[in-house]
C-alpha cells in the first residue's frame, strides 16, 4: 500500500485488529491505545473525588493533581508525545488552556488576596493536566467507549449506593437530616446543586452511548439503566439548577449532535423510567422537610428507583439485542429514523404546548421569574405547599452577578485576580450572603482574568470544539457516538456552571475537561498523509538531523523544570492546608503544637493569610489578646483588605483602651464590609465605650454556624 497525502485508509480500529490478530481484548486495547491505563487511573481518581465532597477541599484535589501529573509523565515517558499525530486543533486547544493557566498564575501579582489566587491557579492547572492526559494522544473509538462506559457505570453505582444509604438511615432522623437537610440530598458532594450536577454530567453521556448501534447490546442496556439511576439520584437533591439546565442541554443535543432519531428512541424509555420514580422521590423530600417519619417514603422511593433502573435496562438491552441480530436495509432504517424523528417532533410540540398551557400567560410568567431572580429573597422564599423545583429563581445570584460585572468594568483588561471575588463582594453586596465565588463560570473568567482571559479561553475552547466537530463528522459511527456523548457531558457542566460555582469543584471540573479531552482525542489526524505499521506497508517518517538533538534536549529540560514547578505549586499549599487543619484539631489540648503547625503552614504557603487568621482566632479563644493582635497584623500584611482580621484588631485595640486606633480599624472594617451588623455595632460601642471581645467573638461564631 502506498502512502499519499489525503488518501483514505482503514480506521484505527481496523488497523489495530489487522496488526494484532492473536492478542486478547486487553492486549489489543493497549496496543491501540497505550495511554489507556493512565487514563483509567485518572478516571479512578475522578470517582474517588466524586465519592468524597466531589473533590472540593484543597486537601483532596491538590494531591490528586500530583497523581495526574505523574500519570501524564508516565504517558509521555512510555508513549512519547508524537507531536505530528496530535491534530493541530488539539495542539491549539492545549496552547490556549496552557496560556489561561499561566495568566491565572500571573494574576497572583495583582490580586488583593494572593493566597486565594494561587489556589485558583493551581485548580486551573489540574484541569489543564487532565485535559492534556485525555486529549494529546489519539485513541480508537473502542478504547474511548470503554473508558467512558467504565466511568459512567462507576458513577451510576455510586448513585445507587447513595440512594440505598439514604434508605438504610431513614429510621435515624439525625443521620437522615445530615444526608438530606431540608429534604435535599447533599451527599456525597456536600452541596445540593453540585450533587445534582455530579450525576447529570454522567447522565447525558449514558443516554447517548446507550443509543449507539455499535455498542454491545448488554452495555447499551446497562447504560440506559445507569441513566435512570443517575437522573433519579439528581432528583433527590431538588436542584432547580438541574431542572433549568436539563432542557437546555437536551435542546443542544438535538440541535447540534448527530443521531437524533436514535437518541430520541433511547430517551423515551429512560424518561418513562425516571417519571415512574419521580412521585416517590418528591414524597420522600416532603416527609423529611416536614419532619415526619420518612422510613416508609424512603423504602418506596428506593424501590421505585431500583425497579425503574432494572426495567429500563432490560427493555433497552432487549431492543438492542434484537437490533443487533436483525438485518435492515438502509432504506428501511432511514424510514424508521424518519418515523421516530416525526414522533419526536410531535412529542416536542406537545410538551411545549402543554408547558404553555400550564404556565398560562408566558409574558406574565417571565416577569414573575425575573422578579424572583432579582428579589434577593434567598432560597427559603417558597410559598406554602409549593415544590422547590417550581418555586422560581429566588436567590442572591443576581447580586453576585452585579458585583462580578462591576469588577470587570473596573478592571477590564486583566481582572481582579483568580478566585478574588470574596473581598469586593463584601464591600459591594446588597445581600446578607458572603460567597467566595461569583456562581458563574463565564463571569468568573470575565471578572477575574479580564478581556485577555476571555480571549485566551475562547481560543482554547474554540479549538477544542473544532476538534470535537471533526470527530462528530467521522465516517465511523462509534466515533461519532462516543464524541457526542463526551461532549454532552462537558456541555452540561458548562450550562449548569453558568449559574453556579462548579469550576471550584474539582470532581466536576476535572471530569468535564476529561470528557472534552476524550472527545478531542477522537479527532482524525491532519490530512497530510497516512502511516500504517506492519509488513508491506508504507510509513512516512520525518527524521531530524543530528543538529536537532540540542533543541530536543533543551525542550526536554524545560518540560522537566515546568513539571517540577507544577508539582511544587500543588504540593506547598496542600501541605500548608494540612498543617492548618491539624492545628484546628490540636489546639484545645496542645495549643503550643497548634501554633507551631500554623507557623509551618505560613512558611509553606508564603502568600496565604489563613494560618495567621486561624492562629489569631485560637489566641482569642485562649484569651491571649497580644498574640491574637500580632497574628491578625501578620494576616493583614498578606491580605490588607481582610475584614475579619481588621474587625478583630479594632476590637482588641478598644479592649486595651487604645480608642483612636480602635476607631480607625473599626471604621476600616465597616468600609470593607458595610453590611456587617457586628462591625457597625463594634464601631458604635467603641465610640462611647469599650468593645467586649469575648461577646463579639461569640456573635461571630454564632453567625458562622448559621451560614455553615
Amino acid at each position: 500500500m502506498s502512502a499519499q497525502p489525503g488518501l483514505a485508509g482503514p480506521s484505527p480500529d481496523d488497523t489495530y485488529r489487522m496488526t494484532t490478530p492473536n492478542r486478547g481484548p486487553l492486549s489489543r486495547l493497549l496496543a491501540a491505545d497505550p495511554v489507556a491505563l493512565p487514563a483509567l487511573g485518572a478516571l479512578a481518581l475522578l470517582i474517588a473525588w466524586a465519592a468524597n465532597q466531589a473533590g472540593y477541599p484543597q486537601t483532596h484535589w491538590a494531591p490528586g493533581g500530583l497523581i495526574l501529573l505523574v500519570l501524564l509523565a508516565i504517558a509521555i515517558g512510555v508513549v512519547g508525545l508524537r507531536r505530528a499525530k496530535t491534530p493541530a486543533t488539539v495542539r491549539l486547544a492545549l496552547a490556549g488552556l496552557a496560556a489561561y493557566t499561566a495568566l491565572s498564575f500571573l494574576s497572583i501579582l495583582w490580586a488583593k488576596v494572593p493566597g486565594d489566587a494561587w489556589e485558583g491557579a493551581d485548580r486551573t492547572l489540574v484541569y489543564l493536566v487532565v485535559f492534556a492526559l485525555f486529549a494529546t494522544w489519539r485513541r480508537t473509538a473502542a478504547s474511548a467507549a470503554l473508558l467512558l462506559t467504565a466511568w459512567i457505570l462507576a458513577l451510576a453505582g455510586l448513585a445507587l449506593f447513595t440512594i440505598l444509604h439514604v434508605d438504610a438511615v431513614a429510621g435515624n432522623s439525625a443521620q437522615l437530616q445530615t444526608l438530606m437537610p431540608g429534604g435535599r440530598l447533599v451527599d456525597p458532594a456536600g452541596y445540593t446543586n453540585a450533587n445534582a450536577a455530579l450525576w447529570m454530567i454522567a447522565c447525558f453521556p449514558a443516554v447517548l452511548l446507550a443509543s449507539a448501534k455499535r455498542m454491545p447490546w448488554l452495555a447499551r442496556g446497562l447504560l440506559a439503566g445507569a441513566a435512570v439511576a443517575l437522573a433519579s439520584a439528581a432528583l433527590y437533591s431538588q436542584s432547580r439548577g438541574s431542572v433549568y439546565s436539563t432542557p437546555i442541554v437536551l435542546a443542544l443535543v438535538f440541535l447540534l449532535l448527530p443521531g437524533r432519531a436514535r437518541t430520541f428512541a433511547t430517551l423515551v424509555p429512560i424518561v418513562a423510567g425516571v417519571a415512574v420514580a419521580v412521585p416517590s422521590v418528591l414524597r420522600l423530600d416532603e416527609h423529611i422537610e416536614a419532619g415526619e417519619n420518612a422510613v416508609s417514603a424512603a423504602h418506596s422511593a428506593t424501590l421505585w428507583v431500583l425497579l425503574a433502573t432494572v426495567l429500563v435496562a432490560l427493555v433497552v438491552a432487549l431492543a438492542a439485542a434484537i437490533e443487533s441480530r436483525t438485518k435492515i436495509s438502509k432504506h428501511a432504517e432511514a424510514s424508521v429514523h424518519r418515523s421516530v424523528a416525526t414522533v419526536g417532533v410531535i412529542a416536542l410540540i406537545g410538551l411545549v404546548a402543554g408547558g404553555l398551557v400550564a404556565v398560562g400567560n408566558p409574558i406574565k410568567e417571565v416577569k414573575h421569574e425575573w422578579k424572583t431572580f432579582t428579589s434577593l429573597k434567598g432560597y427559603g422564599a417558597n410559598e406554602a405547599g409549593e415544590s422547590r423545583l417550581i418555586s422560581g429563581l429566588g436567590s442572591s445570584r443576581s447580586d453576585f452577578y452585579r458585583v462580578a460585572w462591576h469588577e470587570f468594568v473596573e478592571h477590564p483588561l486583566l481582572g481582579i485576580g483568580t478566585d478574588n471575588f470574596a473581598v469586593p463582594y463584601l464591600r459591594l453586596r446588597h445581600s446578607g450572603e458572603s460567597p467566595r465565588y461569583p456562581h458563574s463560570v463565564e463571569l468568573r473568567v470575565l471578572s477575574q482574568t479580564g478581556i485577555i482571559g476571555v480571549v485566551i479561553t475562547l481560543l482554547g475552547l474554540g479549538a477544542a470544539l473544532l476538534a470535537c466537530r471533526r470527530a462528530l463528522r467521522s465516517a465511523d459511527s462509534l466515533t461519532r457516538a462516543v464524541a457526542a456523548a463526551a461532549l454532552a457531558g462537558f456541555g452540561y457542566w458548562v450550562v449548569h456552571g453558568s449559574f453556579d460555582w462548579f469550576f471550584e469543584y474539582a470532581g466536576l471540573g476535572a471530569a468535564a475537561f476529561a470528557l472534552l479531552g476524550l472527545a478531542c482525542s477522537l479527532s482524525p489526524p491532519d490530512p497530510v498523509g497516512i502511516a500504517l505499521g506492519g509488513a508491506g506497508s508504507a510509513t512516512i517518517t520525518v527524521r531530524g538531523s543530528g543538529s536537532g538533538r540540542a533543541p530536543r534536549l533543551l525542550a526536554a529540560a524545560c518540560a522537566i523544570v515546568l513539571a517540577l514547578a507544577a508539582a511544587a505549586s500543588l504540593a506547598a499549599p496542600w501541605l500548608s492546608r494540612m498543617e492548618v487543619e491539624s492545628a484546628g484539631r490540636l489546639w484545645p489540648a496542645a495549643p503550643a503544637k497548634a501554633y507551631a503547625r500554623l507557623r509551618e503552614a505560613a512558611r509553606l504557603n508564603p502568600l496565604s493569610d489563613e494560618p495567621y487568621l486561624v492562629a489569631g482566632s485560637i489566641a482569642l479563644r485562649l484569651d491571649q489578646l497580644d498574640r491574637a493582635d500580632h497574628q491578625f497584623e501578620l494576616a493583614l500584611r498578606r491580605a490588607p483588605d481582610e475584614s475579619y482580621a481588621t474587625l478583630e484588631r479594632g476590637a482588641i485595640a478598644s479592649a486595651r483602651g487604645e480608642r483612636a486606633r480602635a476607631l480607625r480599624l473599626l471604621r476600616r472594617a465597616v468600609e470593607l464590609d458595610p453590611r456587617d451588623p457586628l462591625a457597625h455595632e463594634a464601631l458604635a460601642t467603641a465610640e462611647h465605650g469599650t468593645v467586649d471581645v469575648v461577646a463579639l467573638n461569640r456573635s461571630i461564631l454564632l453567625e458562622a454556624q448559621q451560614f455553615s
Side-chain angles (χ1 to χ4, degrees), residues 403-497:
V403 173
W405 180 258
H406 174 275
E407 291 305 290
F408 163 67
V409 172
E410 291 292 314
H411 309 85
L413 191 61
L414 292 169
I416 59 176
T418 303
D419 280 1
N420 266 239
F421 179 72
V423 167
Y425 185 75
L426 287 180
R427 188 181 72 253
L428 300 171
R429 63 176 174 166
H430 292 164
S431 77
E433 297 190 48
S434 52
R436 291 188 63 190
Y437 314 109
H439 286 58
S440 169
V441 66
E442 293 87 356
L443 285 172
R444 179 189 187 276
V445 174
L446 194 66
S447 64
Q448 297 177 13
T449 54
I451 294 174
I452 292 179
V454 171
V455 171
I456 293 172
T457 301
L458 291 177
L459 176 66
L461 292 183
L465 292 177
L466 283 177
C468 296
R469 183 171 179 265
R470 295 184 65 198
L472 292 172
R473 291 186 167 189
S474 170
D476 179 62
S477 61
L478 185 59
T479 297
R480 296 195 302 269
V482 177
L487 193 57
F490 176 76
Y492 182 87
W493 178 81
V494 172
V495 171
H496 198 165

Side-chain angles (χ1 to χ4, degrees), residues 154-223:
L155 265 184
L158 179 61
L160 288 174
F161 173 82
T162 303
I163 291 171
L164 290 170
H165 184 47
V166 169
D167 190 23
V169 303
N172 187 320
S173 59
Q175 289 188 29
L176 190 60
Q177 279 294 334
T178 300
L179 291 178
M180 297 184 67
R184 304 179 65 201
L185 182 65
V186 299
D187 187 68
Y191 170 48
T192 52
N193 290 333
N195 217 48
L198 178 68
W199 313 126
M200 293 305 296
I201 287 174
C203 181
F204 280 96
V207 172
L208 290 169
L209 267 191
S211 68
K213 184 177 181 179
R214 283 185 54 196
M215 289 291 291
W217 64 269
L218 179 59
R220 290 175 64 182
L222 290 174
L223 287 164

Side-chain angles (χ1 to χ4, degrees), residues 211 254 258-267 336-341:
S211 68
F254 282 104
R260 297 170 182 83
R262 300 187 64 86
T263 300
F264 179 78
T266 307
L267 197 60
V336 170
H337 284 183
R338 283 195 298 270
S339 300
V340 172

